[in-house]
Amino acid sequence: MRRITRRGFAVAALGAASSLLTAGAPVPSAGAPRREMRGVWLATVANLDWPSRTKLTAAQQQRELRAHFDTAVARKLNTVFFQVRPTADALWPSPYEPWTQYLTGVQGRDPGWDPLDFAVREAHRRGLELHAWFNPYRVANHTDPRRLAADHPARRHPGWVVPYGGKLYYNPGLPEVRDFVLDAMLDAVARYPVDGVHFDDYFYPYPAAGQSFDDDDAFEEYGGDFESRADWRRDNTDRLVHAMAQRLDAGGQQEGRRVPFGVSPFAVWRNLASDPQGSRTQAGVQTYDDLYADTRRWVREGWLDYIVPQVYWPIGTKAADYAELVPWWSRTVDGTGVALYIGEALYKAGDSEPAGWKDPAELSRHLTFARRYPQVGGHVYFSAKEVAKDRVGALARVVKDHYGGAAGA
């Protein structure tokens, strides 16, 4: 893919600022203070955070969701990344995909209310931003298409689907798949006043030992111009990310409301041993090589408004040191206009491995360290149920040490 500049307007002047605004709000003048990101991921896949289980009544689900938002406010957070498309399904009445099974226990069954509409209204009522979090390609956490809703697109188009690692995925190498998933995701953006569009770290799936992702036919049809299958796969992922950026830009120009776009990748782009531009890490997974996601390019090209690398290791971890990755990402975003937020593993606080997580103060030390780097605009915590439980008081310490003022002011 040729080099493409993302926007038709000044990236440096608008990119970082627009990612921090409520949709439709005015852009601050040059030099105006940016709102600090204090975010939380609220996951719905496998009922990880919400709803706590399937088959709750609508009123029970709404009470739980309000409680998560109230907890975010109490912890002085200001942004919720709400997973609205966990497995090629929807938490709104989508014309493209069925209702998610995680609401009722049955994929395609109408829950009798609109969770995304409710979530946006309740978040905004509390002064929280709500970013719609999408997983682009995951179809199911099993490999049996017969368990999908009868009218599921993956059943109507079986050639789109690849079983791998015990799950089903859409094939990123098919142009019709990329077009479809973009349409499905952008339906939510067109219909609801969400404050951002957010992709997680799953593009091509994480490697499964002894298995290969069967995209032979797609590579034969579309990969002829590439030196390797890996280059072709990276181009496929580039095309998805760039197309989302372009379509959000076009929508913003038409409607006067441009929605910021961000990604939360696994934090290691490439190890230094693989690339002189890489980080001094020894991670077993590299997004460039294993997930075919050239996250550094997306930043350098200005295709994103913000990036949230999942820096899920303590300071001093040999294979992937927090104190190495935060500076690396700071250098990567510097001068691009792309905002940098650090993804934090609140769910690991108190764990015995790696050893640094035993100390409840480790998370607070992360924020202290990151404040050395002006490129870091805030932090996002995984996940909402951990924000609520805060089992070893790590987040309470963060709030005490770093969030003394109003939420993100």
Side-chain angles (χ1 to χ4, degrees), residues 89-167:
D89 48 20
L91 272 80
W92 74 95
S94 168
Y96 294 93
E97 295 176 309
W99 283 104
T100 182
Q101 64 182 313
Y102 303 121
L103 293 170
T104 65
V106 178
Q107 190 175 63
R109 179 176 292 172
D110 189 335
W113 65 297
D114 185 338
L116 180 51
D117 176 70
F118 179 86
V120 171
R121 288 188 287 106
E122 291 294 319
H124 289 175
R125 186 172 292 135
R126 291 162 173 78
L128 297 167
E129 290 192 9
L130 189 134
H131 291 223
W133 165 16
F134 303 96
N135 183 290
Y137 293 125
R138 182 172 57 212
V139 174
N141 288 323
H142 57 75
T143 58
D144 185 358
R146 295 170 299 180
R147 292 171 57 185
L148 301 173
D151 62 346
H152 197 292
R155 294 188 69 170
R156 298 199 309 269
H157 304 280
W160 289 6
V161 180
V162 178
Y164 180 79
K167 300 180 181 182

Side-chain angles (χ1 to χ4, degrees), residues 247-330:
R247 291 183 64 175
L248 288 171
D249 285 344
Q253 291 168 8
Q254 292 171 3
E255 300 173 15
R257 181 183 77 94
R258 194 187 161 283
V259 179
F261 175 37
V263 176
S264 54
F266 182 78
V268 177
W269 170 71
R270 300 192 89 186
N271 296 319
L272 185 62
S274 301
D275 193 300
Q277 300 296 325
S279 53
R280 291 175 297 175
T281 49
Q282 302 168 34
V285 172
Q286 303 169 90
T287 62
Y288 181 93
D289 301 274
D290 299 304
L291 306 182
Y292 307 99
D294 192 352
T295 53
R296 182 177 181 272
R297 182 187 184 189
W298 307 341
V299 170
R300 305 303 295 180
E301 298 277 5
W303 295 348
L304 305 176
D305 292 289
Y306 66 87
I307 193 160
V308 194
Q310 298 175 25
V311 190
Y312 283 2
W313 300 272
I315 294 171
T317 302
K318 182 178 180 181
D321 190 348
Y322 188 93
E324 162 62 17
L325 285 163
V326 168
W328 187 89
W329 279 104
S330 297

Side-chain angles (χ1 to χ4, degrees), residues 41-287:
W41 282 291
L42 200 164
T44 59
V45 66
N47 299 104
L48 185 61
D49 290 318
W50 177 86
S52 60
R53 61 185 187 278
T54 60
K55 303 181 182 178
L56 296 178
T57 66
Q60 290 171 323
Q61 291 176 352
Q62 290 169 5
R63 279 198 298 272
E64 287 190 350
L65 196 53
R66 285 194 190 100
H68 279 301
F69 292 163
D70 288 340
T71 299
V73 172
R75 301 289 194 267
K76 299 188 177 180
L77 306 182
N78 58 29
T79 305
V80 175
F81 296 84
F82 183 44
Q83 191 176 35
V84 299
R85 187 179 181 268
T87 50
D89 48 20
L91 272 80
W92 74 95
S94 168
Y96 294 93
E97 295 176 309
W99 283 104
T100 182
Q101 64 182 313
Y102 303 121
L103 293 170
T104 65
V106 178
Q107 190 175 63
R109 179 176 292 172
D110 189 335
W113 65 297
D114 185 338
L116 180 51
D117 176 70
F118 179 86
V120 171
R121 288 188 287 106
E122 291 294 319
H124 289 175
R125 186 172 292 135
R126 291 162 173 78
L128 297 167
E129 290 192 9
L130 189 134
H131 291 223
W133 165 16
F134 303 96
N135 183 290
Y137 293 125
R138 182 172 57 212
V139 174
N141 288 323
H142 57 75
T143 58
D144 185 358
R146 295 170 299 180
R147 292 171 57 185
L148 301 173
D151 62 346
H152 197 292
R155 294 188 69 170
R156 298 199 309 269
H157 304 280
W160 289 6
V161 180
V162 178
Y164 180 79
K167 300 180 181 182
L168 294 175
Y169 297 91
Y170 283 133
N171 187 346
L174 299 175
E176 58 268 34
V177 163
R178 296 194 298 272
D179 290 342
F180 172 79
V181 299
L182 285 165
D183 288 343
M185 292 184 286
L186 283 162
D187 178 67
V189 180
R191 296 171 63 182
Y192 303 92
V194 297
D195 301 303
V197 167
H198 187 76
F199 287 177
D200 54 33
D201 52 323
Y202 292 90
F203 294 97
Y204 280 87
Y206 279 80
Q211 299 187 39
S212 60
F213 189 83
D214 185 7
D215 55 3
D216 290 353
D217 291 344
F219 181 56
E220 182 176 352
E221 184 169 358
Y222 298 108
D225 293 337
F226 295 87
E227 293 185 2
S228 69
R229 188 177 306 221
D231 287 342
W232 170 71
R233 287 177 174 176
R234 275 186 291 274
D235 183 72
N236 294 331
T237 311
D238 284 349
R239 288 179 182 275
L240 176 78
V241 171
H242 184 250
M244 176 59 83
Q246 283 188 313
R247 291 183 64 175
L248 288 171
D249 285 344
Q253 291 168 8
Q254 292 171 3
E255 300 173 15
R257 181 183 77 94
R258 194 187 161 283
V259 179
F261 175 37
V263 176
S264 54
F266 182 78
V268 177
W269 170 71
R270 300 192 89 186
N271 296 319
L272 185 62
S274 301
D275 193 300
Q277 300 296 325
S279 53
R280 291 175 297 175
T281 49
Q282 302 168 34
V285 172
Q286 303 169 90
T287 62

Side-chain angles (χ1 to χ4, degrees), residues 12-26:
L14 184 58
S18 65
S19 68
L20 297 161
L21 300 174
T22 300

